[in-house]
């Protein structure tokens, strides 16, 4: 399970279009983390901007006695002055304290626009955090393939986080995965379920999202054809087509973790990828990008 990473936005926010239970309390959150750990998942993704996610995750790691062994990646709050070294250093220390870990596996910029500050002093600030021993790797979370390529070509950036899933060809087509392999940098994939949209039945769609119905119906058709659940379909595609990447998934309840682990282990037919690429050759960005979804 070393490729799987537990995303923890759900632990600090009421997150996801398919979320029916809301933000879990600490007991449920700790059970989610415990289930992940017991299934061999030792890496966790969080952010200063995910509500109380860092505090909740930190308490869970401490309660379970795994804070010194867990690998945690967080992200600076996007509203910080990223060229103020003291403010950035204090924010980093606060994350480490909230998470109750000795060192962060990675610390990322939360928005791709912040790359514009890289040569204006930000690179030196972030490099000092690595040299201080508080952070092992520096990264950035991006939304566009162009910024992913820019980040991979930037010295000092070790990891990138991108949205990719069974519908989304943008980063594959731009050669992001090949470039990452060439540069020996790690790619973390988020949005594998598109905030839960890909797991929903067409009849469950909010009225404002009715335009996504044909996509869900096509997914259901492929699921039936291959004898796979939608979860197995989504995870299986990413596993086979992006094999060197880390895959982030969230969970509202512990059972979601178990379901994802079980689905990840499922054998996937060789013909699935070509079928998916044929049917979902070009999907409208108003489906691929949650920022464009109706509020």
């Amino acid at each position: 399970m070393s490729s799987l990473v537990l995303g923890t936005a759900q632990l600090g926010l009421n997150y996801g279009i398919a979320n029916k239970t809301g933000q879990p309390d600490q007991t449920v959150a700790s059970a989610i983390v415990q289930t992940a750990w017991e299934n061999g998942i030792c890496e966790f993704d969080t952010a200063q901007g995910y509500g109380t996610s860092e505090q909740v995750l930190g308490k869970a790691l401490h309660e379970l006695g795994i804070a010194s062994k867990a690998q945690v990646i967080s992200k600076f709050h996007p509203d910080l002055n990223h060229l103020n070294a003291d403010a950035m250093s204090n924010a980093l220390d606060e994350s480490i304290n909230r998470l109750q870990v000795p060192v962060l596996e990675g610390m990322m910029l939360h928005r791709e626009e912040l790359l514009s500050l890289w040569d204006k002093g930000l690179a030196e600030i972030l490099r000092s955090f690595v040299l201080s021993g508080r952070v092992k790797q520096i990264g950035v979370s991006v939304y566009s393939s162009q910024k992913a390529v820019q980040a991979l070509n930037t010295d000092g950036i070790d990891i990138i986080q991108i949205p990719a899933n069974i519908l989304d060809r943008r980063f594959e087509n731009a050669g992001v995965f090949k470039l990452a392999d060439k540069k020996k940098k790690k790619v973390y994939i988020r949005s594998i379920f598109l905030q839960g949209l890909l797991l929903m039945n067409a009849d469950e769609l909010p009225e404002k999202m009715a335009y996504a119905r044909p996509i869900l119906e096509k997914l259901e058709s492929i699921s039936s054809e291959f004898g796979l659940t939608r979860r197995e379909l989504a995870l299986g595609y990413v596993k086979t087509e992006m094999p060197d990447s880390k895959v982030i998934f969230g969970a509202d309840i512990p059972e979601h973790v178990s379901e994802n682990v079980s689905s990840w282990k499922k054998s996937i037919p060789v013909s699935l990828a070509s079928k998916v690429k044929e049917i979902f050759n070009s999907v409208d960005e108003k489906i691929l990008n949650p920022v464009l979804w109706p509020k």
Side-chain angles (χ1 to χ4, degrees), residues 273-293:
S274 58
K275 181 79 172 184
V276 164
K277 290 177 180 178
E278 175 190 338
I279 293 178
F280 301 119
N281 181 44
S282 180
V283 177
D284 196 316
E285 192 173 354
K286 71 178 182 179
I287 292 175
L288 298 179
N289 189 350
V291 173
L292 302 178
W293 293 355

Side-chain angles (χ1 to χ4, degrees), residues 41-104:
I41 297 169
C42 58
E43 199 162 355
F44 303 87
D45 176 79
T46 185
Q48 294 174 353
Y50 289 169
T52 58
S53 175
E54 287 188 335
Q55 294 98 311
V56 172
L57 175 59
K59 188 171 183 180
L61 296 175
H62 178 72
E63 288 175 349
L64 295 169
I66 57 175
S68 63
K69 295 176 281 187
Q71 298 172 3
V72 181
I73 290 178
S74 193
K75 306 170 197 73
F76 287 108
H77 198 288
D79 293 342
L80 279 169
N81 179 353
H82 282 59
L83 295 182
N84 183 324
D86 288 340
M88 292 288 281
S89 182
N90 289 338
L92 173 60
D93 286 339
E94 288 169 2
S95 277
I96 291 171
N97 289 335
R98 283 191 291 265
L99 289 161
Q100 303 189 54
V101 294
V103 59
L104 285 172

Side-chain angles (χ1 to χ4, degrees), residues 6-13 33 44-47 50 53 57 249-250:
L6 182 68
T8 63
Q10 283 97 327
L11 305 191
L13 298 165
V33 173
F44 303 87
D45 176 79
T46 185
Y50 289 169
S53 175
L57 175 59
F249 72 88

